[in-house]
Amino acid sequence: MLFFEVGCTHRVQAEAFLKDQGVHTLNVTEYGTLDTIMNGVSAGLGVSLLPRSSVTKAERRGEVAVLSLPDPYRRLEVGFVHSRSEHRSGALDALVQMMTKQGPEQ
């Protein structure tokens, strides 16, 4: 498995899926960039769990094969993170307001 460091949400999802399938020991190699992970996967060094949007071009070029995980493992909660500084742009204020109408600001 090729992943970012511990704490990566995709890694957590992959580990949960594999554990539920009876795989309790993983050989994990950690990398610091998405490009390094993608190059490792396309070179055959391992597999990874990444957002589909991150692998679409490589899939179209035939460099990688993409499979979807079954529900509930295919959905990841994503949060929007911003500084709590007093100096927010008008665009950021508008985006935060739009997002908080859909759910609580964390």
Side-chain angles (χ1 to χ4, degrees), residues 32-85:
T33 67
L34 176 61
D35 285 338
T36 305
I37 293 171
M38 285 299 300
N39 288 336
V41 170
S42 65
L45 298 178
V47 299
S48 191
L49 179 67
L50 298 167
R52 183 170 291 276
S53 61
S54 298
V55 300
T56 302
K57 289 179 184 178
E59 181 183 26
R60 275 193 234 131
R61 291 189 300 259
E63 298 171 1
V64 297
V66 177
L67 302 172
S68 295
L69 288 177
D71 283 329
Y73 306 100
R74 71 173 65 182
R75 303 288 179 227
L76 295 174
E77 185 174 327
V78 178
F80 178 75
V81 181
H82 64 89
S83 171
R84 289 196 178 269
S85 72

Side-chain angles (χ1 to χ4, degrees), residues 3-12 15 28-32:
F3 285 114
F4 292 109
E5 296 176 3
V6 174
C8 169
T9 55
H10 296 94
R11 179 176 176 167
V12 170
E15 289 173 343
V28 175
T29 304
E30 296 177 352
Y31 294 104

Side-chain angles (χ1 to χ4, degrees), residues 14 20 30 56 86-87:
D20 290 347
E30 296 177 352
T56 302
E86 296 178 29
H87 305 288

